[in-house]
Amino acid sequence: MLTKKIKNIVIAICSIVVAVGIYAYTEYNRKSPDLTNVKAIDYITASALINTYSNEEEMANKKYLGRVIQVNGTVVEVINQQDTAFTIVLGDPSFMSRVSCTMDKNHIVSAKKYDIGNVVNVKGICTGYLMDIELNNCLIVE
């Protein structure tokens, strides 16, 4: 009787370990979504987005956080971390806050042709506001 209980406990623990392993494997290998064919919920300038977040962060989070938006602005900085992460920063050099757009790995090549001073349209997922407004999985909209 005791061995049957131990056998059932061992089977239950093994089942849990396998389930956790499968979940961890799928999360580790999950690909970020390609936003090429995703419609943005809003089209906004970098200056307007910065002003919205600076003045009404809670309302801006309700409207933009976790959603796809398209931002138009002037490139004020380009950050290339050895082709593993490529970020285009939009805004006004005189503003303290900016819009930081981390490019999707599949769209880095098209983003590299833009330099400081160029005006671009970037589509990405808004992930929040610290000093800068963060957009991830971004791509340039021609």
Side-chain angles (χ1 to χ4, degrees):
M1 180 112 175
L2 187 59
T3 58
K4 190 171 184 177
K5 263 188 178 177
I6 292 174
K7 182 179 176 183
N8 287 339
I9 291 172
V10 169
I11 290 172
I13 291 172
C14 287
S15 298
I16 291 170
V17 168
V18 168
V20 169
I22 290 170
Y23 176 76
Y25 177 79
T26 56
E27 284 299 306
Y28 180 76
N29 290 306
R30 181 174 51 160
K31 305 259 188 285
S32 58
D34 186 354
L35 302 179
T36 303
N37 297 318
V38 177
K39 185 172 170 54
I41 62 142
D42 200 0
Y43 301 89
I44 189 167
T45 65
S47 298
L49 185 62
I50 292 165
N51 286 334
T52 301
Y53 264 99
S54 297
N55 297 326
E56 301 177 43
E57 183 177 352
E58 189 175 318
M59 186 277 301
N61 275 334
K62 286 180 184 175
K63 186 172 183 179
Y64 299 119
L65 192 62
R67 299 176 129 182
V68 177
I69 60 174
Q70 185 170 317
V71 180
N72 175 275
T74 303
V75 177
V76 293
E77 186 177 1
V78 175
I79 304 164
N80 186 358
Q81 298 173 347
Q82 299 175 344
D83 291 333
T84 58
F86 191 84
T87 304
I88 291 179
V89 182
L90 305 178
D92 184 325
S94 64
F95 286 0
M96 189 164 192
S97 293
R98 300 172 179 180
V99 180
S100 178
C101 309
T102 303
M103 303 305 293
D104 183 300
K105 289 180 182 176
N106 297 324
H107 298 280
I108 289 176
V109 173
S110 65
K112 283 185 175 181
K113 63 183 174 184
Y114 295 95
D115 290 320
I116 294 172
N118 292 139
V119 176
V120 296
N121 288 301
V122 179
K123 181 166 52 170
I125 300 172
C126 181
T127 56
Y129 173 69
L130 298 170
M131 280 280 296
D132 292 339
I133 299 156
E134 300 293 330
L135 296 183
N136 288 318
N137 298 349
C138 295
L139 61 102
I140 302 292
V141 179
E142 302 287 338

Short mmCIF file of all heavy atoms in Angstrom, two decimals, residues 41-103:
data_model
loop_
_atom_site.label_atom_id
_atom_site.label_comp_id
_atom_site.label_asym_id
_atom_site.label_seq_id
_atom_site.Cartn_x
_atom_site.Cartn_y
_atom_site.Cartn_z
N ILE A 41 -2.30 51.16 -33.64
CA ILE A 41 -3.52 51.72 -33.06
C ILE A 41 -3.52 53.24 -33.13
O ILE A 41 -4.56 53.87 -33.01
CB ILE A 41 -3.74 51.28 -31.61
CG1 ILE A 41 -2.60 51.77 -30.71
CG2 ILE A 41 -3.94 49.79 -31.49
CD1 ILE A 41 -3.08 52.20 -29.34
N ASP A 42 -2.31 53.83 -33.28
CA ASP A 42 -2.22 55.29 -33.32
C ASP A 42 -0.98 55.70 -34.12
O ASP A 42 0.02 54.99 -34.13
CB ASP A 42 -2.14 55.86 -31.91
CG ASP A 42 -2.52 57.32 -31.83
OD1 ASP A 42 -2.86 57.92 -32.87
OD2 ASP A 42 -2.47 57.89 -30.72
N TYR A 43 -1.07 56.83 -34.77
CA TYR A 43 0.04 57.44 -35.49
C TYR A 43 0.30 58.77 -34.79
O TYR A 43 -0.60 59.60 -34.70
CB TYR A 43 -0.33 57.67 -36.96
CG TYR A 43 -0.69 56.39 -37.66
CD1 TYR A 43 -2.00 55.93 -37.68
CD2 TYR A 43 0.27 55.63 -38.30
CE1 TYR A 43 -2.34 54.74 -38.31
CE2 TYR A 43 -0.05 54.44 -38.94
CZ TYR A 43 -1.36 54.01 -38.94
OH TYR A 43 -1.68 52.83 -39.56
N ILE A 44 1.51 58.95 -34.28
CA ILE A 44 1.79 60.11 -33.44
C ILE A 44 3.23 60.57 -33.68
O ILE A 44 4.09 59.78 -34.04
CB ILE A 44 1.54 59.75 -31.95
CG1 ILE A 44 1.59 60.97 -31.05
CG2 ILE A 44 2.45 58.64 -31.48
CD1 ILE A 44 1.05 60.73 -29.64
N THR A 45 3.48 61.84 -33.48
CA THR A 45 4.84 62.34 -33.59
C THR A 45 5.58 62.04 -32.29
O THR A 45 4.97 61.88 -31.22
CB THR A 45 4.89 63.86 -33.83
OG1 THR A 45 4.35 64.53 -32.69
CG2 THR A 45 4.12 64.24 -35.10
N ALA A 46 6.90 61.98 -32.38
CA ALA A 46 7.71 61.71 -31.19
C ALA A 46 7.49 62.80 -30.15
O ALA A 46 7.35 62.51 -28.96
CB ALA A 46 9.18 61.61 -31.58
N SER A 47 7.43 64.06 -30.57
CA SER A 47 7.23 65.17 -29.63
C SER A 47 5.89 65.06 -28.91
O SER A 47 5.81 65.26 -27.69
CB SER A 47 7.29 66.50 -30.37
OG SER A 47 8.55 66.68 -30.95
N ALA A 48 4.84 64.71 -29.65
CA ALA A 48 3.52 64.58 -29.03
C ALA A 48 3.48 63.40 -28.05
O ALA A 48 2.89 63.50 -26.97
CB ALA A 48 2.45 64.40 -30.10
N LEU A 49 4.13 62.30 -28.41
CA LEU A 49 4.17 61.13 -27.52
C LEU A 49 4.94 61.46 -26.24
O LEU A 49 4.51 61.12 -25.13
CB LEU A 49 4.81 59.95 -28.24
CG LEU A 49 4.81 58.62 -27.49
CD1 LEU A 49 3.39 58.14 -27.20
CD2 LEU A 49 5.57 57.56 -28.30
N ILE A 50 6.05 62.16 -26.38
CA ILE A 50 6.84 62.56 -25.21
C ILE A 50 6.03 63.49 -24.32
O ILE A 50 6.00 63.32 -23.09
CB ILE A 50 8.17 63.22 -25.65
CG1 ILE A 50 9.07 62.18 -26.31
CG2 ILE A 50 8.87 63.89 -24.47
CD1 ILE A 50 10.23 62.77 -27.09
N ASN A 51 5.35 64.46 -24.91
CA ASN A 51 4.52 65.38 -24.12
C ASN A 51 3.39 64.64 -23.40
O ASN A 51 3.10 64.93 -22.25
CB ASN A 51 3.94 66.49 -25.01
CG ASN A 51 4.98 67.50 -25.39
OD1 ASN A 51 5.96 67.71 -24.68
ND2 ASN A 51 4.80 68.15 -26.53
N THR A 52 2.76 63.69 -24.08
CA THR A 52 1.68 62.92 -23.47
C THR A 52 2.19 62.16 -22.26
O THR A 52 1.58 62.19 -21.19
CB THR A 52 1.05 61.95 -24.49
OG1 THR A 52 0.56 62.71 -25.60
CG2 THR A 52 -0.08 61.16 -23.88
N TYR A 53 3.31 61.46 -22.42
CA TYR A 53 3.86 60.69 -21.30
C TYR A 53 4.38 61.61 -20.19
O TYR A 53 4.24 61.29 -19.01
CB TYR A 53 4.97 59.75 -21.77
CG TYR A 53 4.46 58.35 -22.01
CD1 TYR A 53 4.16 57.91 -23.29
CD2 TYR A 53 4.25 57.47 -20.95
CE1 TYR A 53 3.68 56.63 -23.51
CE2 TYR A 53 3.77 56.20 -21.16
CZ TYR A 53 3.48 55.78 -22.44
OH TYR A 53 3.00 54.51 -22.63
N SER A 54 4.96 62.74 -20.54
CA SER A 54 5.48 63.66 -19.52
C SER A 54 4.37 64.27 -18.68
O SER A 54 4.52 64.46 -17.47
CB SER A 54 6.28 64.78 -20.17
OG SER A 54 7.40 64.26 -20.83
N ASN A 55 3.25 64.58 -19.32
CA ASN A 55 2.16 65.27 -18.63
C ASN A 55 1.13 64.33 -18.00
O ASN A 55 0.56 64.67 -16.96
CB ASN A 55 1.45 66.22 -19.60
CG ASN A 55 2.38 67.31 -20.08
OD1 ASN A 55 3.25 67.76 -19.34
ND2 ASN A 55 2.23 67.72 -21.32
N GLU A 56 0.85 63.20 -18.65
CA GLU A 56 -0.21 62.30 -18.18
C GLU A 56 0.22 60.84 -18.37
O GLU A 56 -0.36 60.12 -19.18
CB GLU A 56 -1.49 62.56 -18.95
CG GLU A 56 -2.02 63.98 -18.83
CD GLU A 56 -3.25 64.21 -19.68
OE1 GLU A 56 -4.13 63.33 -19.70
OE2 GLU A 56 -3.31 65.26 -20.33
N GLU A 57 1.20 60.41 -17.60
CA GLU A 57 1.78 59.08 -17.78
C GLU A 57 0.74 57.97 -17.60
O GLU A 57 0.71 57.01 -18.37
CB GLU A 57 2.94 58.86 -16.81
CG GLU A 57 3.63 57.53 -17.01
CD GLU A 57 4.82 57.34 -16.11
OE1 GLU A 57 5.24 58.28 -15.42
OE2 GLU A 57 5.35 56.21 -16.10
N GLU A 58 -0.10 58.08 -16.60
CA GLU A 58 -1.10 57.03 -16.35
C GLU A 58 -2.07 56.88 -17.53
O GLU A 58 -2.36 55.78 -17.97
CB GLU A 58 -1.87 57.32 -15.06
CG GLU A 58 -2.76 56.18 -14.62
CD GLU A 58 -3.42 56.46 -13.28
OE1 GLU A 58 -2.74 56.98 -12.37
OE2 GLU A 58 -4.61 56.13 -13.15
N MET A 59 -2.54 58.00 -18.04
CA MET A 59 -3.46 57.97 -19.19
C MET A 59 -2.74 57.44 -20.42
O MET A 59 -3.28 56.64 -21.19
CB MET A 59 -4.00 59.38 -19.46
CG MET A 59 -5.08 59.46 -20.55
SD MET A 59 -4.50 59.54 -22.26
CE MET A 59 -3.51 60.99 -22.27
N ALA A 60 -1.48 57.85 -20.61
CA ALA A 60 -0.70 57.39 -21.76
C ALA A 60 -0.47 55.88 -21.69
O ALA A 60 -0.57 55.19 -22.70
CB ALA A 60 0.62 58.13 -21.84
N ASN A 61 -0.19 55.36 -20.49
CA ASN A 61 -0.01 53.92 -20.34
C ASN A 61 -1.28 53.16 -20.68
O ASN A 61 -1.23 52.12 -21.32
CB ASN A 61 0.43 53.57 -18.91
CG ASN A 61 1.92 53.68 -18.72
OD1 ASN A 61 2.69 53.55 -19.67
ND2 ASN A 61 2.33 53.93 -17.50
N LYS A 62 -2.42 53.68 -20.27
CA LYS A 62 -3.70 53.02 -20.59
C LYS A 62 -3.92 52.98 -22.10
O LYS A 62 -4.47 52.02 -22.63
CB LYS A 62 -4.87 53.73 -19.92
CG LYS A 62 -4.94 53.49 -18.44
CD LYS A 62 -6.11 54.22 -17.82
CE LYS A 62 -6.11 54.03 -16.31
NZ LYS A 62 -7.17 54.81 -15.67
N LYS A 63 -3.48 54.03 -22.79
CA LYS A 63 -3.71 54.11 -24.23
C LYS A 63 -2.68 53.34 -25.05
O LYS A 63 -3.02 52.70 -26.04
CB LYS A 63 -3.71 55.58 -24.64
CG LYS A 63 -4.08 55.81 -26.09
CD LYS A 63 -4.24 57.28 -26.39
CE LYS A 63 -4.68 57.48 -27.82
NZ LYS A 63 -4.88 58.89 -28.15
N TYR A 64 -1.39 53.39 -24.64
CA TYR A 64 -0.32 52.87 -25.50
C TYR A 64 0.40 51.62 -24.99
O TYR A 64 0.94 50.88 -25.80
CB TYR A 64 0.73 53.96 -25.73
CG TYR A 64 0.20 55.19 -26.40
CD1 TYR A 64 0.24 56.43 -25.78
CD2 TYR A 64 -0.35 55.12 -27.67
CE1 TYR A 64 -0.24 57.57 -26.40
CE2 TYR A 64 -0.84 56.24 -28.31
CZ TYR A 64 -0.78 57.47 -27.67
OH TYR A 64 -1.26 58.58 -28.30
N LEU A 65 0.47 51.40 -23.71
CA LEU A 65 1.29 50.32 -23.15
C LEU A 65 0.88 48.95 -23.69
O LEU A 65 -0.28 48.57 -23.63
CB LEU A 65 1.20 50.32 -21.62
CG LEU A 65 2.22 49.45 -20.89
CD1 LEU A 65 3.64 49.92 -21.17
CD2 LEU A 65 1.96 49.48 -19.40
N GLY A 66 1.86 48.24 -24.26
CA GLY A 66 1.62 46.91 -24.80
C GLY A 66 0.95 46.90 -26.16
O GLY A 66 0.58 45.85 -26.67
N ARG A 67 0.81 48.06 -26.76
CA ARG A 67 0.13 48.16 -28.06
C ARG A 67 1.09 48.64 -29.14
O ARG A 67 2.10 49.27 -28.87
CB ARG A 67 -1.05 49.12 -27.94
CG ARG A 67 -2.05 48.60 -26.91
CD ARG A 67 -3.14 49.56 -26.74
NE ARG A 67 -4.39 48.83 -26.89
CZ ARG A 67 -5.55 49.40 -26.82
NH1 ARG A 67 -5.66 50.70 -26.67
NH2 ARG A 67 -6.65 48.67 -26.94
N VAL A 68 0.72 48.37 -30.38
CA VAL A 68 1.53 48.76 -31.53
C VAL A 68 1.17 50.19 -31.92
O VAL A 68 0.00 50.50 -32.17
CB VAL A 68 1.30 47.81 -32.72
CG1 VAL A 68 2.10 48.27 -33.94
CG2 VAL A 68 1.66 46.38 -32.34
N ILE A 69 2.20 51.05 -31.96
CA ILE A 69 2.01 52.43 -32.39
C ILE A 69 3.05 52.78 -33.45
O ILE A 69 4.09 52.13 -33.55
CB ILE A 69 2.08 53.44 -31.22
CG1 ILE A 69 3.43 53.38 -30.51
CG2 ILE A 69 0.95 53.21 -30.24
CD1 ILE A 69 3.60 54.45 -29.43
N GLN A 70 2.74 53.80 -34.23
CA GLN A 70 3.68 54.28 -35.24
C GLN A 70 4.07 55.70 -34.86
O GLN A 70 3.20 56.55 -34.63
CB GLN A 70 3.05 54.25 -36.62
CG GLN A 70 4.02 54.63 -37.72
CD GLN A 70 3.45 54.36 -39.10
OE1 GLN A 70 2.84 53.33 -39.33
NE2 GLN A 70 3.65 55.30 -40.02
N VAL A 71 5.37 55.94 -34.77
CA VAL A 71 5.89 57.23 -34.32
C VAL A 71 6.73 57.85 -35.43
O VAL A 71 7.57 57.19 -36.03
CB VAL A 71 6.74 57.05 -33.05
CG1 VAL A 71 7.28 58.40 -32.58
CG2 VAL A 71 5.94 56.38 -31.94
N ASN A 72 6.47 59.14 -35.69
CA ASN A 72 7.24 59.90 -36.67
C ASN A 72 8.12 60.87 -35.91
O ASN A 72 7.65 61.57 -35.02
CB ASN A 72 6.27 60.67 -37.59
CG ASN A 72 7.01 61.58 -38.54
OD1 ASN A 72 7.35 62.70 -38.18
ND2 ASN A 72 7.28 61.10 -39.72
N GLY A 73 9.41 60.89 -36.27
CA GLY A 73 10.29 61.82 -35.59
C GLY A 73 11.66 61.90 -36.22
O GLY A 73 12.00 61.16 -37.15
N THR A 74 12.45 62.80 -35.69
CA THR A 74 13.82 63.01 -36.15
C THR A 74 14.76 62.13 -35.35
O THR A 74 14.67 62.06 -34.13
CB THR A 74 14.21 64.49 -35.96
OG1 THR A 74 13.27 65.31 -36.65
CG2 THR A 74 15.61 64.76 -36.49
N VAL A 75 15.67 61.47 -36.07
CA VAL A 75 16.66 60.61 -35.42
C VAL A 75 17.67 61.52 -34.71
O VAL A 75 18.30 62.37 -35.33
CB VAL A 75 17.38 59.71 -36.45
CG1 VAL A 75 18.46 58.88 -35.77
CG2 VAL A 75 16.39 58.82 -37.18
N VAL A 76 17.81 61.32 -33.37
CA VAL A 76 18.78 62.11 -32.61
C VAL A 76 19.97 61.26 -32.14
O VAL A 76 20.99 61.80 -31.73
CB VAL A 76 18.13 62.80 -31.39
CG1 VAL A 76 17.15 63.86 -31.85
CG2 VAL A 76 17.47 61.81 -30.46
N GLU A 77 19.82 59.92 -32.25
CA GLU A 77 20.91 59.04 -31.86
C GLU A 77 20.69 57.67 -32.50
O GLU A 77 19.56 57.23 -32.65
CB GLU A 77 20.96 58.90 -30.33
CG GLU A 77 22.14 58.13 -29.80
CD GLU A 77 22.17 58.09 -28.28
OE1 GLU A 77 21.26 58.63 -27.62
OE2 GLU A 77 23.13 57.49 -27.76
N VAL A 78 21.78 57.02 -32.87
CA VAL A 78 21.74 55.66 -33.39
C VAL A 78 22.71 54.84 -32.54
O VAL A 78 23.87 55.19 -32.40
CB VAL A 78 22.16 55.60 -34.88
CG1 VAL A 78 22.23 54.18 -35.37
CG2 VAL A 78 21.20 56.43 -35.73
N ILE A 79 22.19 53.75 -31.96
CA ILE A 79 23.00 52.90 -31.09
C ILE A 79 23.08 51.51 -31.72
O ILE A 79 22.07 50.83 -31.86
CB ILE A 79 22.39 52.79 -29.68
CG1 ILE A 79 22.21 54.19 -29.07
CG2 ILE A 79 23.26 51.91 -28.78
CD1 ILE A 79 21.30 54.22 -27.88
N ASN A 80 24.29 51.11 -32.12
CA ASN A 80 24.51 49.80 -32.74
C ASN A 80 25.41 48.99 -31.81
O ASN A 80 26.59 49.27 -31.69
CB ASN A 80 25.16 49.96 -34.11
CG ASN A 80 25.27 48.65 -34.85
OD1 ASN A 80 24.90 47.59 -34.36
ND2 ASN A 80 25.79 48.71 -36.07
N GLN A 81 24.82 48.00 -31.15
CA GLN A 81 25.58 47.18 -30.22
C GLN A 81 26.05 45.91 -30.93
O GLN A 81 25.49 44.84 -30.76
CB GLN A 81 24.75 46.84 -29.00
CG GLN A 81 24.35 48.07 -28.22
CD GLN A 81 23.39 47.76 -27.11
OE1 GLN A 81 22.82 46.69 -27.01
NE2 GLN A 81 23.21 48.73 -26.23
N GLN A 82 27.06 46.06 -31.77
CA GLN A 82 27.68 44.96 -32.51
C GLN A 82 26.66 44.09 -33.24
O GLN A 82 26.73 42.87 -33.24
CB GLN A 82 28.53 44.11 -31.55
CG GLN A 82 29.64 44.89 -30.92
CD GLN A 82 30.40 44.07 -29.89
OE1 GLN A 82 29.95 43.04 -29.44
NE2 GLN A 82 31.56 44.56 -29.53
N ASP A 83 25.69 44.71 -33.84
CA ASP A 83 24.65 44.05 -34.64
C ASP A 83 23.80 43.06 -33.85
O ASP A 83 23.06 42.28 -34.42
CB ASP A 83 25.25 43.36 -35.86
CG ASP A 83 25.76 44.37 -36.87
OD1 ASP A 83 25.23 45.50 -36.89
OD2 ASP A 83 26.68 44.04 -37.63
N THR A 84 23.86 43.09 -32.52
CA THR A 84 22.96 42.24 -31.73
C THR A 84 21.75 43.03 -31.29
O THR A 84 20.68 42.47 -31.10
CB THR A 84 23.68 41.66 -30.49
OG1 THR A 84 24.17 42.74 -29.70
CG2 THR A 84 24.82 40.75 -30.90
N ALA A 85 21.91 44.31 -31.12
CA ALA A 85 20.81 45.20 -30.80
C ALA A 85 21.05 46.51 -31.52
O ALA A 85 22.15 47.07 -31.47
CB ALA A 85 20.70 45.42 -29.29
N PHE A 86 20.03 47.00 -32.19
CA PHE A 86 20.14 48.24 -32.94
C PHE A 86 18.99 49.14 -32.51
O PHE A 86 17.83 48.73 -32.59
CB PHE A 86 20.08 47.95 -34.45
CG PHE A 86 20.45 49.12 -35.30
CD1 PHE A 86 21.78 49.40 -35.59
CD2 PHE A 86 19.47 49.96 -35.81
CE1 PHE A 86 22.12 50.49 -36.37
CE2 PHE A 86 19.80 51.04 -36.60
CZ PHE A 86 21.14 51.31 -36.89
N THR A 87 19.31 50.32 -32.04
CA THR A 87 18.30 51.24 -31.51
C THR A 87 18.38 52.57 -32.21
O THR A 87 19.47 53.14 -32.36
CB THR A 87 18.48 51.43 -29.99
OG1 THR A 87 18.45 50.16 -29.35
CG2 THR A 87 17.39 52.30 -29.41
N ILE A 88 17.23 53.06 -32.63
CA ILE A 88 17.11 54.41 -33.19
C ILE A 88 16.36 55.24 -32.14
O ILE A 88 15.30 54.83 -31.67
CB ILE A 88 16.34 54.40 -34.52
CG1 ILE A 88 17.17 53.70 -35.59
CG2 ILE A 88 15.99 55.82 -34.94
CD1 ILE A 88 16.49 53.61 -36.93
N VAL A 89 16.93 56.39 -31.79
CA VAL A 89 16.32 57.25 -30.79
C VAL A 89 15.75 58.47 -31.51
O VAL A 89 16.45 59.15 -32.25
CB VAL A 89 17.35 57.67 -29.72
CG1 VAL A 89 16.68 58.54 -28.66
CG2 VAL A 89 17.99 56.44 -29.09
N LEU A 90 14.45 58.71 -31.27
CA LEU A 90 13.74 59.82 -31.91
C LEU A 90 13.45 60.90 -30.88
O LEU A 90 13.26 60.62 -29.70
CB LEU A 90 12.41 59.33 -32.50
CG LEU A 90 12.45 58.17 -33.47
CD1 LEU A 90 11.02 57.80 -33.90
CD2 LEU A 90 13.30 58.49 -34.67
N GLY A 91 13.36 62.12 -31.36
CA GLY A 91 12.98 63.21 -30.48
C GLY A 91 13.62 64.51 -30.88
O GLY A 91 13.99 64.73 -32.03
N ASP A 92 13.78 65.35 -29.88
CA ASP A 92 14.38 66.66 -30.05
C ASP A 92 15.59 66.71 -29.10
O ASP A 92 15.44 66.38 -27.92
CB ASP A 92 13.35 67.72 -29.65
CG ASP A 92 13.83 69.14 -29.89
OD1 ASP A 92 15.04 69.40 -29.72
OD2 ASP A 92 12.99 69.99 -30.22
N PRO A 93 16.76 67.09 -29.60
CA PRO A 93 17.94 67.12 -28.73
C PRO A 93 17.77 67.97 -27.48
O PRO A 93 18.42 67.75 -26.47
CB PRO A 93 19.04 67.68 -29.63
CG PRO A 93 18.58 67.43 -31.02
CD PRO A 93 17.08 67.49 -30.97
N SER A 94 16.87 68.96 -27.53
CA SER A 94 16.67 69.82 -26.37
C SER A 94 15.75 69.19 -25.32
O SER A 94 15.69 69.66 -24.19
CB SER A 94 16.10 71.18 -26.82
OG SER A 94 14.81 70.99 -27.39
N PHE A 95 15.02 68.11 -25.68
CA PHE A 95 14.14 67.43 -24.72
C PHE A 95 14.95 66.49 -23.85
O PHE A 95 15.91 65.87 -24.31
CB PHE A 95 13.07 66.61 -25.43
CG PHE A 95 11.97 67.42 -26.07
CD1 PHE A 95 11.94 68.79 -26.01
CD2 PHE A 95 10.96 66.78 -26.76
CE1 PHE A 95 10.93 69.52 -26.61
CE2 PHE A 95 9.95 67.49 -27.36
CZ PHE A 95 9.93 68.86 -27.28
N MET A 96 14.55 66.35 -22.61
CA MET A 96 15.23 65.40 -21.73
C MET A 96 14.81 63.98 -22.07
O MET A 96 15.63 63.06 -22.04
CB MET A 96 14.89 65.72 -20.28
CG MET A 96 15.67 64.95 -19.29
SD MET A 96 15.52 65.74 -17.70
CE MET A 96 16.77 64.89 -16.81
N SER A 97 13.54 63.77 -22.41
CA SER A 97 13.04 62.44 -22.77
C SER A 97 13.05 62.27 -24.28
O SER A 97 12.95 63.25 -25.03
CB SER A 97 11.61 62.25 -22.26
OG SER A 97 11.58 62.23 -20.87
N ARG A 98 13.14 61.01 -24.70
CA ARG A 98 13.14 60.68 -26.12
C ARG A 98 12.34 59.41 -26.33
O ARG A 98 11.90 58.80 -25.39
CB ARG A 98 14.58 60.49 -26.61
CG ARG A 98 15.44 61.72 -26.43
CD ARG A 98 16.86 61.42 -26.73
NE ARG A 98 17.67 62.61 -26.58
CZ ARG A 98 18.95 62.64 -26.77
NH1 ARG A 98 19.61 61.56 -27.12
NH2 ARG A 98 19.65 63.75 -26.61
N VAL A 99 12.22 58.99 -27.58
CA VAL A 99 11.57 57.73 -27.91
C VAL A 99 12.65 56.77 -28.39
O VAL A 99 13.27 56.99 -29.42
CB VAL A 99 10.48 57.90 -29.00
CG1 VAL A 99 9.82 56.57 -29.30
CG2 VAL A 99 9.45 58.94 -28.56
N SER A 100 12.89 55.73 -27.61
CA SER A 100 13.94 54.75 -27.91
C SER A 100 13.31 53.56 -28.62
O SER A 100 12.49 52.85 -28.04
CB SER A 100 14.60 54.33 -26.59
OG SER A 100 15.58 53.35 -26.84
N CYS A 101 13.71 53.33 -29.86
CA CYS A 101 13.11 52.30 -30.71
C CYS A 101 14.12 51.18 -30.96
O CYS A 101 15.02 51.32 -31.79
CB CYS A 101 12.67 52.90 -32.04
SG CYS A 101 11.65 54.38 -31.88
N THR A 102 13.97 50.08 -30.25
CA THR A 102 14.84 48.92 -30.44
C THR A 102 14.31 48.13 -31.62
O THR A 102 13.18 47.65 -31.60
CB THR A 102 14.91 48.05 -29.17
OG1 THR A 102 15.35 48.88 -28.09
CG2 THR A 102 15.87 46.90 -29.36
N MET A 103 15.13 47.97 -32.64
CA MET A 103 14.69 47.37 -33.89
C MET A 103 14.58 45.85 -33.78
O MET A 103 15.36 45.20 -33.09
CB MET A 103 15.66 47.72 -35.02
CG MET A 103 15.86 49.23 -35.22
SD MET A 103 14.33 50.17 -35.48
CE MET A 103 13.84 49.53 -37.04
#
